[in-house]
Amino acid sequence: MLRDDSSLAEEVRQEILECDQDLRALEGAIVREMIPRDQSDDHSAVLEVRAAAGGTESSLFTSEMFAMYQKYAAYRKWGFETLSVSESELGGYKQASASVTGTGVYGRLKYEAGVHRVQRVPATETHGRLHTSTMSVAVLPQPRDIEVVLNTNDIKVDTFRAAGAGGQHVNTTDSAVRLTHKPTGIVVSIQDQRSQHQNKAKAMKLLQALIYEQQRKTAVEERDEKRRQQIGSGERSERIRTYNFPQDRVTEHRLGVTVWGVAGFMSGTDSLDNLLEQLSAHDLQENLTRLME
Amino acid sequence: MPSLREALQQTHQILEASGIPDARLEAEVMVMNVMRMPRQDIFAQQELAVSSQQQETLSQVIDRRKQREPLAYILGYKEFYGVNLLVTPDVLIPRPETETLVEHALFMSLMGMEVAHLVIADVGTGTGAIALNLAIHLPAARIYATDSSEKALMVANYNIRRHNVADRVTLCHGDLMEPLPEPVDLIVANLPYIPTARIPTLQPEIQWEPAAALDGGEQGMDQITRLIAQASERLNPQGSILLEMDPEQVPLAEELARQYFPEAETGVERDLAGLDRVLTISRGVAEEA
């Protein structure tokens, strides 16, 4: 029995529509696949916060930023293991670093690299004047073991023990380990209450990350100059964000976006996550555009 | 109520004023234990309020530490080779250098020796640190752990049960290797090796540790010498001995090894500080027929 012509035509029209949609989706997928992605996006990362020279405000803000990232890691269910903390005598941190582990950590945290600026009336300020201070964040991808093969002959290991017999002669809480990578001169030290065995393992991971970063930098320098200007290139001197406490807002300079609620932002949950999502989307867009050119 | 940040700073200052080395690190460890939080949370929770009960506990910890009581005894545990061990004043607090001994024992076991039915003796086991870690990383090994102190064995017993290796680690009470029921393939030992007269000159924390776990006699070599003398009959033909000691004791110990094990190969392993730390005596590469 022959079907009605008009219903057949309708079916065909439907099918064409669906094929069209599939085609567009596939085209989109092809283009996305062609975008050069940072291979390290999947990796874990090493995060470092550093206060600007001089000023209690900067070191206090640095410790608050470290706290924010620790909370964000917890929010994202990532591992967060402190590698080093260098306290400032007046409170806060001069420097601190952590190993943040999980899938896609680097791809997210890389947008935090750069200089963060804080504007507020410090606790110590008697005349209610607004102060501006800065701190910087560096984010390094943690390479998989296979990507950075370390030759044990290249690594000098030592502890911080003063001269002496060691062993049963000494009883201390710390079992610090220092690794020096002779070919590059990179030095890494971990001081912790954990066993020396664990500290050495941590130090190795950090060393791997630093060597990997050096390798990457060399590779990037050999590439297109323009690529270095893109978001997430991790240029340390780039001022990326301002936290204004009296006005209760955070301004992301790369996007020209304002987020309201500084405390909420620094709680390291939805607010920060949303902004990183926006930065990621923007980055993708930029890459797409560049691809089209 | 003070914040965690304030408690940390205060603790740091008090410890530093009392001459405690690594004051900042110790302050962090104390606070993290009293507040029952992992170390990284200390950074995230700087504004957390410290309850009066926690303040009281922290205060007690600080007071004890000011007497130079080792932190490990106050907190009741010490991490060794990645594993938390119970420690009490009846045992020596494990040292990082002994991790070199463990590493090398594992290396030798996995590389050269007949792994399947490895029988090991940890002589003078103390907390059980060495025996326990070997048991964890050598699932097929049977291990005897001896100690002359019953109280120490109670601590070792807790640790091996806590880490689920009690079925493969047998504790034996007695002098050195006397209580062993059979010959073994591998002997590992961190025996007391400090010269008697030197002990009172060491840091205050060490004065709290059991003298029997440190005292090696006049040159610090008494226990090691006795062990090497006993070992010959109790070591299987292809077996090895690993002994922790001080760098200056190595030449003497090597001489003893040559005396009692003329056919064996000896070697010295360094610790992470680059000092000679572990003497190895390897019997029998099988002779050519």
Side-chain angles (χ1 to χ4, degrees):
Chain A
M1 215 157 65
L2 280 174
R3 251 198 287 189
D4 196 296
D5 264 357
S6 60
S7 78
L8 182 63
E10 185 52 42
E11 271 179 44
V12 172
R13 259 193 290 275
Q14 259 314 107
E15 228 183 294
I16 291 174
L17 247 152
E18 279 164 22
C19 284
D20 225 1
Q21 280 172 0
D22 284 343
L23 198 66
R24 264 182 240 291
L26 281 170
E27 275 175 7
I30 289 173
V31 171
R32 264 195 300 279
E33 282 302 304
M34 285 169 66
I35 297 172
R37 270 180 19 180
D38 195 330
Q39 288 186 348
S40 307
D41 277 357
D42 298 332
H43 296 192
S44 298
V46 171
L47 171 88
E48 192 199 39
V49 296
R50 193 176 282 273
T56 314
E57 251 296 86
S58 178
S59 25
L60 280 174
F61 185 54
T62 301
S63 67
E64 289 161 40
M65 289 293 283
F66 198 60
M68 175 177 87
Y69 292 124
Q70 199 275 339
K71 290 173 202 166
Y72 185 59
Y75 172 78
R76 292 295 305 257
K77 304 205 199 309
W78 294 334
F80 186 96
E81 201 183 8
T82 313
L83 295 172
S84 68
V85 174
S86 176
E87 249 193 334
S88 160
E89 302 82 48
L90 302 158
Y93 302 149
K94 285 196 269 215
Q95 177 269 352
S97 64
S99 168
V100 187
T101 50
T103 318
V105 170
Y106 180 70
R108 244 335 192 230
L109 282 186
K110 66 183 182 183
Y111 300 108
E112 291 303 292
V115 173
H116 299 245
R117 186 170 68 154
V118 60
Q119 292 172 324
R120 65 182 170 188
V121 179
T124 50
E125 171 56 46
T126 44
H127 298 290
R129 285 173 301 187
L130 195 71
H131 283 228
T132 300
S133 310
T134 61
M135 59 81 67
S136 66
V137 176
V139 182
L140 310 177
Q142 179 77 49
R144 281 184 261 275
D145 286 335
I146 204 165
E147 286 159 317
V148 177
V149 177
L150 294 174
N151 188 339
T152 42
N153 287 330
D154 289 339
I155 300 175
K156 183 168 91 99
V157 183
D158 64 281
T159 62
F160 289 85
R161 290 273 193 270
Q168 289 172 9
H169 287 264
V170 176
N171 179 326
T172 61
T173 301
D174 110 34
S175 41
V177 172
R178 176 169 49 208
L179 301 179
T180 307
H181 186 238
K182 292 183 277 194
T184 58
I186 296 176
V187 181
V188 156
S189 51
I190 300 289
Q191 191 216 35
D192 213 308
Q193 85 284 4
R194 305 194 61 188
S195 55
Q196 197 169 67
H197 180 77
Q198 293 295 80
N199 288 344
K200 187 173 160 204
K202 267 194 197 178
M204 280 294 195
K205 293 210 80 164
L206 181 56
L207 186 64
Q208 266 188 328
L210 291 170
I211 292 172
Y212 190 56
E213 180 63 9
Q214 239 193 31
Q215 287 173 357
R216 274 162 43 94
K217 275 221 164 80
T218 315
V220 164
E221 269 153 19
E222 285 162 5
R223 272 208 298 265
D224 183 5
E225 174 68 29
K226 245 197 205 159
R227 239 194 105 104
R228 286 211 263 149
Q229 256 90 70
Q230 74 178 238
I231 290 174
S233 62
E235 288 303 325
R236 246 206 139 111
S237 48
E238 195 189 346
R239 195 179 66 207
I240 58 168
R241 205 178 292 151
T242 298
Y243 304 68
N244 189 311
F245 279 73
Q247 292 175 15
D248 201 23
R249 60 178 170 81
V250 178
T251 308
E252 171 58 53
H253 300 298
R254 293 165 291 185
L255 301 179
V257 155
T258 296
V259 179
W260 296 97
V262 177
F265 187 84
M266 293 191 73
S267 71
T269 52
D270 302 330
S271 195
L272 174 58
D273 198 37
N274 284 337
L275 183 63
L276 288 176
E277 180 63 49
Q278 285 182 56
L279 283 160
S280 181
H282 181 97
D283 198 13
L284 193 68
Q285 193 58 45
E286 291 274 293
N287 281 330
L288 210 75
T289 315
R290 205 168 288 117
L291 192 70
M292 301 302 197
E293 282 164 9
Chain B
M1 282 198 293
S3 68
L4 194 148
R5 182 209 302 267
E6 285 159 354
L8 257 173
Q9 258 171 3
Q10 277 168 25
T11 306
H12 179 190
Q13 278 160 12
I14 297 173
L15 293 178
E16 194 146 292
S18 301
I20 310 288
D22 309 315
R24 168 71 200 190
L25 178 66
E26 293 224 1
E28 283 177 15
V29 175
M30 286 181 190
V31 170
M32 88 185 226
N33 274 278
V34 166
M35 308 281 290
R36 299 197 192 287
M37 51 174 49
R39 192 162 169 238
Q40 60 255 27
D41 281 3
I42 291 183
F43 309 112
Q45 312 264 40
Q46 295 261 303
E47 302 314 315
L48 194 66
V50 182
S51 75
S52 44
Q53 188 169 41
Q54 287 167 332
Q55 280 178 68
E56 180 55 37
T57 310
L58 184 58
S59 211
Q60 287 169 9
V61 171
I62 295 173
D63 281 343
R64 285 172 73 176
R65 191 70 185 99
K66 277 162 77 175
Q67 310 300 317
R68 305 305 292 263
E69 186 177 348
L71 186 60
Y73 284 161
I74 301 172
L75 299 177
Y77 75 94
K78 177 77 181 169
E79 185 181 314
F80 178 81
Y81 209 72
V83 163
N84 276 345
L85 297 175
L86 171 76
V87 294
T88 71
D90 295 320
V91 291
L92 185 76
I93 298 166
R95 310 295 204 248
E97 285 80 356
T98 310
E99 289 179 342
T100 303
L101 182 62
V102 172
E103 257 168 9
H104 207 68
L106 288 176
F107 179 76
M108 288 179 77
S109 304
L110 295 170
M111 289 294 132
M113 309 182 72
E114 222 356 271
V115 181
H117 306 288
L118 210 53
V119 182
I120 303 176
D122 172 14
V123 184
T125 194
T127 55
I130 301 170
L132 194 150
N133 278 292
L134 293 182
I136 290 171
H137 295 283
L138 300 171
R142 279 185 304 113
I143 302 170
Y144 296 104
T146 80
D147 206 287
S148 56
S149 158
E150 276 200 53
K151 289 186 176 169
L153 284 176
M154 277 167 58
V155 177
N157 190 31
Y158 177 89
N159 283 321
I160 62 175
R161 278 175 204 294
R162 171 75 177 72
H163 293 282
N164 294 316
V165 291
D167 55 330
R168 288 184 295 112
V169 181
T170 308
L171 299 176
C172 311
H173 180 222
D175 179 48
L176 294 184
M177 300 189 76
E178 292 296 332
L180 290 183
E182 56 171 319
V184 301
D185 302 309
L186 177 65
I187 301 170
V188 289
N190 176 22
L191 293 166
Y193 55 74
I194 314 266
T196 318
R198 202 183 288 170
I199 298 176
T201 71
L202 300 176
Q203 70 190 92
E205 282 78 8
I206 294 185
Q207 313 309 322
W208 291 76
E209 292 184 283
L214 292 161
D215 193 335
E218 204 184 310
Q219 291 188 304
M221 285 292 291
D222 288 3
Q223 304 296 337
I224 292 172
T225 305
R226 290 201 304 129
L227 180 76
I228 295 178
Q230 288 185 3
S232 192
E233 299 151 7
R234 293 178 167 84
L235 186 68
N236 284 331
Q238 310 285 322
S240 293
I241 308 177
L242 296 171
L243 298 172
E244 182 181 323
M245 61 190 66
D246 259 348
E248 61 198 23
Q249 294 168 328
V250 169
L252 257 165
E254 272 181 324
E255 184 51 48
L256 277 165
R258 276 191 283 276
Q259 196 186 323
Y260 286 94
F261 296 91
E263 80 290 4
E265 259 183 49
T266 62
V268 181
E269 288 306 311
R270 293 189 177 171
D271 58 31
L272 287 194
L275 300 175
D276 290 346
R277 186 59 61 193
V278 178
L279 176 72
T280 65
I281 305 171
S282 297
R283 229 175 194 177
V285 180
E287 287 184 9
E288 307 268 0

